[in-house]
Amino acid sequence: MSIARLSLRFLPFSDAASAGLPLGQLLRLSLFQVSVGMASVLLLGTLNRVMIVELSLAATLVAAMIALPVLIAPFRALLGFRSDTYRSAIGWKRIPYLWFGSLWQMGGLALMPFSLLVLGGDTVHDVPFAGEVLAALAFLMTGLGLHMTQTAGLALASDRACDETRPRVVALLYVMFLVGMGVSALILGWLLSDFTPLRLIRVVQGAALATLLLNVVALWQQEPARAMSAAERASPRPKFRDAWADFASGGDAGRLLAVVFLGTVAFNMQDVLLEPYGGEIMGLGVAATTWLSALWAAGALLGFGLAARWLGGGLDPFRMAARGILIGVTAFSAVVFAAPMGSHALFFVGAFAIGLGGGLFAVSTLTAAMTLPARGIAGRGLALGAWGAAQASAAGLSIALGGAIRDGVSHLALSGALGEVLNSPALGYTTVYHLEIALLFGTLVVLGPLVRLSFVTPVRPASPDGKIGLADFPT
């Protein structure tokens, strides 16, 4: 008995296990989040720096490529809805989506390095736009697989967990996603410390193989087979558009989605620029800039812990969102001042604080979405799907905007059109960071009227043991 209590006290998330989902199977299932975190580091961190700095591609083109998989994310709500209602002869609902998502994710990563080398001009060919087409296909395949795998995996974990442990199960999966990002960033940075095109091919294709292995181990024997008759498979399924129309007719939901959209744009415009900024302006190598993703993940993990503490104490989620926004303002200010001060430490602190502020903002707006009253057939799952769609759409748009604004301002500055004082390669980057600060203040303005929700809609009370329950976290 004392050993069991000791294990429960010191083993993280040991209380997330249940009879239907033992701890061993839960930890094995969480491996799909590690593969998703690794793919996210490659797409949003390592590869965008390689394309801009080592392959000398325009930031606008790079931003457009990276935005492609993010723009697929609004279909996560539809993917989750389809896996809810999927019917097969053996009764599987989630495993088919997990399996084919893994194949798409692996295939995109396997194609990625070759398409980037063609795009960078390292091969001789007579096919117009071959590099652009191949790179777009690789990013689309990876993005589709990533979103399909994560959506089905989270749904499968929610299916197997009991009502009491479900929030902690999904919280564990979210933490594993951030841990996967942090560990992958360190490993990839070390492997690419001596960059060559051949090493890029080996590392990215190794990541593709690791993706398939991790996901196969994760999904193995996780969903029991249940025989389904032909009549059951042929019966009409619920329509997604009916549930969506019911949700869209709400009131405060629209303002909340506007806050999510605007705040996500403000936090994510730097995604395609932070590592190139470190390499081109701060003079950091590939390995050092790849560690920025690890710092961001560490900041987001700290934000998750602070959110658990503050929400457990009864803090209004909208007030917590404001805290995250103010931390973001401070973080972007630190990044801006790091270059003229020549301070690498200030730059790394700013990257860490961006993850912290963005994590607090995401968790708080998700919690607010979970407290929206459900009406008719529009339940909590659709509300969270709408939250994920707004966040993902804003992320894709902000990445493309960030690259385009950086290229446009840098071209004007270096051509002398803005005067001798502003003739600096850093101006394009800092313009984006200043715009993000302005957008964060705009988000505060839109957020203000929602604080009144705390007086009419009770915040979900903390659990008796003080643990946070972020059920069905979309990303």
Side-chain angles (χ1 to χ4, degrees):
M1 182 66 68
S2 60
I3 296 178
R5 287 197 299 266
L6 186 68
S7 173
L8 187 64
R9 180 177 179 183
F10 291 103
L11 183 62
F13 291 102
S14 61
D15 54 348
S18 61
L21 184 57
L23 185 59
Q25 294 187 20
L26 172 59
L27 293 177
R28 183 162 58 84
L29 178 61
S30 69
L31 291 178
F32 79 87
Q33 285 286 68
V34 176
S35 74
V36 170
M38 178 174 58
S40 300
V41 168
L42 282 170
L43 294 179
L44 299 177
T46 304
L47 292 179
N48 87 74
R49 183 262 154 72
V50 167
M51 287 189 287
I52 292 178
V53 179
E54 273 69 30
L55 300 181
S56 300
L57 298 175
T60 302
L61 177 61
V62 175
M65 292 295 175
I66 295 176
L68 287 176
V70 181
L71 289 174
I72 299 175
F75 295 98
R76 290 174 66 111
L78 178 60
L79 287 172
F81 179 79
R82 294 291 295 178
S83 69
D84 284 336
T85 59
Y86 184 74
R87 291 164 184 171
S88 64
I90 57 177
W92 280 349
K93 299 192 299 181
R94 317 296 186 185
I95 291 297
Y97 283 83
L98 261 171
W99 171 244
F100 284 104
S102 302
L103 293 182
W104 281 108
Q105 190 175 335
M106 182 202 69
L109 290 177
L111 178 62
M112 187 77 67
F114 299 106
S115 64
L116 295 184
L117 294 179
V118 174
L119 186 62
D122 285 3
T123 60
V124 179
H125 60 85
D126 297 325
V127 181
F129 303 108
E132 288 81 356
V133 172
L134 287 174
L137 180 61
F139 277 97
L140 281 172
M141 290 173 63
T142 305
L144 176 60
L146 184 153
H147 296 302
M148 187 182 297
T149 297
Q150 193 174 49
T151 302
L154 288 174
L156 176 58
S158 296
D159 290 343
R160 295 199 57 191
C162 64
D163 292 338
E164 180 182 355
T165 63
R166 185 173 294 113
R168 293 191 288 277
V169 166
V170 180
L172 167 63
L173 295 177
Y174 175 54
V175 170
M176 288 297 291
F177 167 71
L178 296 179
V179 170
M181 286 191 67
V183 174
S184 299
L186 295 175
I187 295 176
L188 293 171
W190 174 67
L191 292 175
L192 291 173
S193 57
D194 184 17
F195 176 82
T196 62
L198 180 58
R199 176 161 291 195
L200 176 67
I201 294 175
R202 290 173 174 172
V203 170
V204 179
Q205 290 206 322
L209 179 60
T211 292
L212 187 61
L213 293 176
L214 286 170
N215 289 351
V216 168
V217 172
L219 63 84
W220 187 257
Q221 292 185 342
Q222 291 285 3
E223 186 176 21
R226 294 179 293 269
M228 182 175 291
S229 66
E232 290 176 320
R233 298 197 303 272
S235 61
R237 292 190 291 181
K239 295 182 179 180
F240 176 78
R241 64 174 179 267
D242 295 336
W244 180 262
D246 183 69
F247 172 78
S249 62
D252 291 314
R255 180 173 286 272
L256 174 60
L257 294 181
V259 169
V260 172
F261 185 90
L262 188 59
T264 303
V265 170
F267 274 107
N268 285 44
M269 286 179 69
Q270 53 76 34
D271 270 359
V272 74
L273 301 177
L274 195 62
E275 294 200 16
Y277 179 80
E280 183 179 354
I281 307 303
M282 302 297 297
L284 300 172
V286 175
T289 55
T290 301
W291 291 340
L292 293 171
S293 296
L295 284 173
W296 178 92
L301 279 172
L302 178 60
F304 186 86
L306 290 175
R309 183 179 183 88
W310 291 341
L311 289 174
L315 178 66
D316 176 25
F318 293 117
R319 294 184 183 275
M320 190 173 73
R323 292 184 183 182
I325 291 172
L326 293 177
I327 291 174
V329 170
T330 305
F332 286 117
S333 300
V335 171
V336 169
F337 283 109
M341 295 177 63
S343 174
H344 290 170
L346 186 61
F347 178 59
F348 285 124
V349 168
F352 175 84
I354 290 173
L356 174 60
L360 283 174
F361 177 80
V363 170
S364 59
T365 53
L366 173 65
T367 304
M370 293 172 67
T371 62
L372 289 177
R375 304 186 312 104
I377 59 175
R380 187 186 68 182
L382 186 56
L384 296 178
W387 180 93
Q391 187 199 47
S393 300
L397 176 63
S398 63
I399 290 173
L401 283 176
I405 292 172
R406 178 265 181 188
D407 280 354
V409 174
S410 294
H411 176 74
L412 291 175
L414 297 178
S415 66
L418 302 180
E420 186 63 27
V421 176
L422 297 179
N423 189 350
S424 169
L427 184 64
Y429 294 100
T430 55
T431 299
V432 174
Y433 298 142
H434 281 97
L435 181 58
E436 287 181 295
I437 293 173
L439 287 172
L440 286 173
F441 281 116
T443 306
L444 281 175
V445 174
V446 180
L447 177 65
L450 286 176
V451 177
R452 66 182 174 83
L453 283 179
S454 60
F455 300 103
V456 297
T457 302
V459 180
R460 188 174 59 177
S463 59
D465 54 4
K467 296 181 176 65
I468 187 174
L470 295 181
D472 306 320
F473 198 98
T475 59

PDB file of all heavy atoms in Angstrom, residues 43 88 91 108 111 143 154 173 182 276 281 302 313-314 336 340 347 415 439 445 464:
ATOM      1  N   LEU A  43       8.600  21.377 -39.362  1.00  0.00           N
ATOM      2  CA  LEU A  43       7.880  22.288 -40.240  1.00  0.00           C
ATOM      3  C   LEU A  43       8.056  23.739 -39.830  1.00  0.00           C
ATOM      4  O   LEU A  43       8.312  24.613 -40.680  1.00  0.00           O
ATOM      5  CB  LEU A  43       6.388  21.937 -40.251  1.00  0.00           C
ATOM      6  CG  LEU A  43       6.000  20.587 -40.866  1.00  0.00           C
ATOM      7  CD1 LEU A  43       4.503  20.380 -40.765  1.00  0.00           C
ATOM      8  CD2 LEU A  43       6.450  20.496 -42.312  1.00  0.00           C
ATOM      9  N   SER A  88     -17.422   0.650 -39.791  1.00  0.00           N
ATOM     10  CA  SER A  88     -16.728  -0.409 -40.525  1.00  0.00           C
ATOM     11  C   SER A  88     -17.240  -1.753 -40.035  1.00  0.00           C
ATOM     12  O   SER A  88     -17.884  -1.849 -38.980  1.00  0.00           O
ATOM     13  CB  SER A  88     -15.214  -0.317 -40.297  1.00  0.00           C
ATOM     14  OG  SER A  88     -14.891  -0.535 -38.938  1.00  0.00           O
ATOM     15  N   GLY A  91     -15.950  -2.571 -36.670  1.00  0.00           N
ATOM     16  CA  GLY A  91     -16.309  -1.624 -35.637  1.00  0.00           C
ATOM     17  C   GLY A  91     -15.250  -0.605 -35.272  1.00  0.00           C
ATOM     18  O   GLY A  91     -15.457   0.181 -34.348  1.00  0.00           O
ATOM     19  N   GLY A 108       4.942  12.508 -46.473  1.00  0.00           N
ATOM     20  CA  GLY A 108       5.316  13.903 -46.662  1.00  0.00           C
ATOM     21  C   GLY A 108       6.733  14.186 -46.207  1.00  0.00           C
ATOM     22  O   GLY A 108       7.497  14.886 -46.889  1.00  0.00           O
ATOM     23  N   LEU A 111       9.355  12.725 -48.657  1.00  0.00           N
ATOM     24  CA  LEU A 111       9.505  13.522 -49.879  1.00  0.00           C
ATOM     25  C   LEU A 111      10.151  14.882 -49.618  1.00  0.00           C
ATOM     26  O   LEU A 111      10.747  15.480 -50.515  1.00  0.00           O
ATOM     27  CB  LEU A 111       8.129  13.718 -50.519  1.00  0.00           C
ATOM     28  CG  LEU A 111       8.029  14.555 -51.794  1.00  0.00           C
ATOM     29  CD1 LEU A 111       8.823  13.912 -52.930  1.00  0.00           C
ATOM     30  CD2 LEU A 111       6.565  14.746 -52.195  1.00  0.00           C
ATOM     31  N   GLY A 143       1.148  17.881 -43.409  1.00  0.00           N
ATOM     32  CA  GLY A 143       0.120  18.560 -42.622  1.00  0.00           C
ATOM     33  C   GLY A 143      -1.147  17.756 -42.487  1.00  0.00           C
ATOM     34  O   GLY A 143      -1.732  17.670 -41.390  1.00  0.00           O
ATOM     35  N   LEU A 154      -6.370  11.767 -30.121  1.00  0.00           N
ATOM     36  CA  LEU A 154      -7.015  12.377 -28.964  1.00  0.00           C
ATOM     37  C   LEU A 154      -8.416  11.816 -28.751  1.00  0.00           C
ATOM     38  O   LEU A 154      -8.847  11.591 -27.614  1.00  0.00           O
ATOM     39  CB  LEU A 154      -7.080  13.898 -29.146  1.00  0.00           C
ATOM     40  CG  LEU A 154      -5.760  14.662 -29.023  1.00  0.00           C
ATOM     41  CD1 LEU A 154      -5.959  16.124 -29.373  1.00  0.00           C
ATOM     42  CD2 LEU A 154      -5.175  14.527 -27.635  1.00  0.00           C
ATOM     43  N   LEU A 173      -1.540  13.898 -22.799  1.00  0.00           N
ATOM     44  CA  LEU A 173      -1.233  13.876 -24.220  1.00  0.00           C
ATOM     45  C   LEU A 173      -0.733  15.236 -24.704  1.00  0.00           C
ATOM     46  O   LEU A 173       0.169  15.314 -25.547  1.00  0.00           O
ATOM     47  CB  LEU A 173      -2.479  13.459 -25.017  1.00  0.00           C
ATOM     48  CG  LEU A 173      -2.978  12.031 -24.761  1.00  0.00           C
ATOM     49  CD1 LEU A 173      -4.247  11.763 -25.555  1.00  0.00           C
ATOM     50  CD2 LEU A 173      -1.912  11.017 -25.117  1.00  0.00           C
ATOM     51  N   GLY A 182      10.190  19.591 -27.604  1.00  0.00           N
ATOM     52  CA  GLY A 182      11.443  19.972 -26.966  1.00  0.00           C
ATOM     53  C   GLY A 182      12.565  18.984 -27.223  1.00  0.00           C
ATOM     54  O   GLY A 182      13.677  19.364 -27.619  1.00  0.00           O
ATOM     55  N   PRO A 276      15.248  32.308 -38.471  1.00  0.00           N
ATOM     56  CA  PRO A 276      16.058  33.095 -39.418  1.00  0.00           C
ATOM     57  C   PRO A 276      16.578  34.392 -38.819  1.00  0.00           C
ATOM     58  O   PRO A 276      17.693  34.817 -39.133  1.00  0.00           O
ATOM     59  CB  PRO A 276      15.075  33.366 -40.568  1.00  0.00           C
ATOM     60  CG  PRO A 276      14.108  32.244 -40.506  1.00  0.00           C
ATOM     61  CD  PRO A 276      13.944  31.938 -39.039  1.00  0.00           C
ATOM     62  N   ILE A 281      20.479  37.863 -38.165  1.00  0.00           N
ATOM     63  CA  ILE A 281      20.702  39.107 -37.414  1.00  0.00           C
ATOM     64  C   ILE A 281      21.542  38.864 -36.158  1.00  0.00           C
ATOM     65  O   ILE A 281      22.461  39.626 -35.859  1.00  0.00           O
ATOM     66  CB  ILE A 281      19.362  39.764 -37.042  1.00  0.00           C
ATOM     67  CG1 ILE A 281      18.487  39.936 -38.291  1.00  0.00           C
ATOM     68  CG2 ILE A 281      19.592  41.101 -36.364  1.00  0.00           C
ATOM     69  CD1 ILE A 281      19.124  40.739 -39.397  1.00  0.00           C
ATOM     70  N   LEU A 302       5.592  25.600 -18.941  1.00  0.00           N
ATOM     71  CA  LEU A 302       5.431  26.419 -17.740  1.00  0.00           C
ATOM     72  C   LEU A 302       4.071  27.107 -17.746  1.00  0.00           C
ATOM     73  O   LEU A 302       3.406  27.201 -16.705  1.00  0.00           O
ATOM     74  CB  LEU A 302       6.552  27.451 -17.657  1.00  0.00           C
ATOM     75  CG  LEU A 302       6.481  28.427 -16.472  1.00  0.00           C
ATOM     76  CD1 LEU A 302       6.529  27.672 -15.153  1.00  0.00           C
ATOM     77  CD2 LEU A 302       7.613  29.449 -16.561  1.00  0.00           C
ATOM     78  N   GLY A 313      -7.371  27.832  -8.726  1.00  0.00           N
ATOM     79  CA  GLY A 313      -7.700  28.810  -7.708  1.00  0.00           C
ATOM     80  C   GLY A 313      -8.910  29.656  -8.032  1.00  0.00           C
ATOM     81  O   GLY A 313      -9.247  30.574  -7.275  1.00  0.00           O
ATOM     82  N   GLY A 314      -9.562  29.392  -9.177  1.00  0.00           N
ATOM     83  CA  GLY A 314     -10.784  30.110  -9.533  1.00  0.00           C
ATOM     84  C   GLY A 314     -10.574  31.354 -10.362  1.00  0.00           C
ATOM     85  O   GLY A 314     -11.490  32.176 -10.483  1.00  0.00           O
ATOM     86  N   VAL A 336      13.000  42.307 -29.911  1.00  0.00           N
ATOM     87  CA  VAL A 336      13.345  43.499 -30.682  1.00  0.00           C
ATOM     88  C   VAL A 336      14.621  44.139 -30.155  1.00  0.00           C
ATOM     89  O   VAL A 336      15.514  44.523 -30.917  1.00  0.00           O
ATOM     90  CB  VAL A 336      12.180  44.509 -30.655  1.00  0.00           C
ATOM     91  CG1 VAL A 336      12.628  45.856 -31.227  1.00  0.00           C
ATOM     92  CG2 VAL A 336      11.000  43.973 -31.449  1.00  0.00           C
ATOM     93  N   PRO A 340      19.919  45.246 -31.250  1.00  0.00           N
ATOM     94  CA  PRO A 340      20.760  46.422 -31.010  1.00  0.00           C
ATOM     95  C   PRO A 340      21.636  46.291 -29.774  1.00  0.00           C
ATOM     96  O   PRO A 340      22.721  46.891 -29.710  1.00  0.00           O
ATOM     97  CB  PRO A 340      19.745  47.566 -30.837  1.00  0.00           C
ATOM     98  CG  PRO A 340      18.452  46.909 -30.531  1.00  0.00           C
ATOM     99  CD  PRO A 340      18.488  45.600 -31.225  1.00  0.00           C
ATOM    100  N   PHE A 347      17.604  37.471 -26.257  1.00  0.00           N
ATOM    101  CA  PHE A 347      16.881  36.860 -27.370  1.00  0.00           C
ATOM    102  C   PHE A 347      16.279  35.521 -26.955  1.00  0.00           C
ATOM    103  O   PHE A 347      15.107  35.235 -27.228  1.00  0.00           O
ATOM    104  CB  PHE A 347      17.830  36.683 -28.550  1.00  0.00           C
ATOM    105  CG  PHE A 347      17.221  36.017 -29.751  1.00  0.00           C
ATOM    106  CD1 PHE A 347      16.111  36.568 -30.381  1.00  0.00           C
ATOM    107  CD2 PHE A 347      17.735  34.843 -30.248  1.00  0.00           C
ATOM    108  CE1 PHE A 347      15.547  35.956 -31.498  1.00  0.00           C
ATOM    109  CE2 PHE A 347      17.188  34.225 -31.355  1.00  0.00           C
ATOM    110  CZ  PHE A 347      16.087  34.783 -31.977  1.00  0.00           C
ATOM    111  N   SER A 415      17.002  48.734 -50.416  1.00  0.00           N
ATOM    112  CA  SER A 415      17.095  49.498 -51.666  1.00  0.00           C
ATOM    113  C   SER A 415      17.306  50.986 -51.427  1.00  0.00           C
ATOM    114  O   SER A 415      17.523  51.740 -52.375  1.00  0.00           O
ATOM    115  CB  SER A 415      15.816  49.301 -52.489  1.00  0.00           C
ATOM    116  OG  SER A 415      14.694  49.882 -51.830  1.00  0.00           O
ATOM    117  N   LEU A 439      -1.001  44.172 -32.455  1.00  0.00           N
ATOM    118  CA  LEU A 439      -2.125  43.239 -32.527  1.00  0.00           C
ATOM    119  C   LEU A 439      -2.479  42.667 -31.151  1.00  0.00           C
ATOM    120  O   LEU A 439      -3.653  42.418 -30.857  1.00  0.00           O
ATOM    121  CB  LEU A 439      -1.802  42.098 -33.494  1.00  0.00           C
ATOM    122  CG  LEU A 439      -1.822  42.450 -34.987  1.00  0.00           C
ATOM    123  CD1 LEU A 439      -1.294  41.284 -35.815  1.00  0.00           C
ATOM    124  CD2 LEU A 439      -3.227  42.830 -35.427  1.00  0.00           C
ATOM    125  N   VAL A 445      -8.340  44.788 -26.466  1.00  0.00           N
ATOM    126  CA  VAL A 445      -9.541  45.602 -26.656  1.00  0.00           C
ATOM    127  C   VAL A 445     -10.750  44.712 -26.954  1.00  0.00           C
ATOM    128  O   VAL A 445     -11.839  44.896 -26.400  1.00  0.00           O
ATOM    129  CB  VAL A 445      -9.318  46.622 -27.795  1.00  0.00           C
ATOM    130  CG1 VAL A 445     -10.614  47.368 -28.101  1.00  0.00           C
ATOM    131  CG2 VAL A 445      -8.214  47.607 -27.420  1.00  0.00           C
ATOM    132  N   PRO A 464     -11.531  18.486  -6.844  1.00  0.00           N
ATOM    133  CA  PRO A 464     -11.172  18.463  -5.431  1.00  0.00           C
ATOM    134  C   PRO A 464      -9.681  18.315  -5.186  1.00  0.00           C
ATOM    135  O   PRO A 464      -9.165  18.814  -4.193  1.00  0.00           O
ATOM    136  CB  PRO A 464     -11.949  17.250  -4.890  1.00  0.00           C
ATOM    137  CG  PRO A 464     -13.086  17.071  -5.849  1.00  0.00           C
ATOM    138  CD  PRO A 464     -12.559  17.493  -7.181  1.00  0.00           C
TER     139      PRO A 464
END
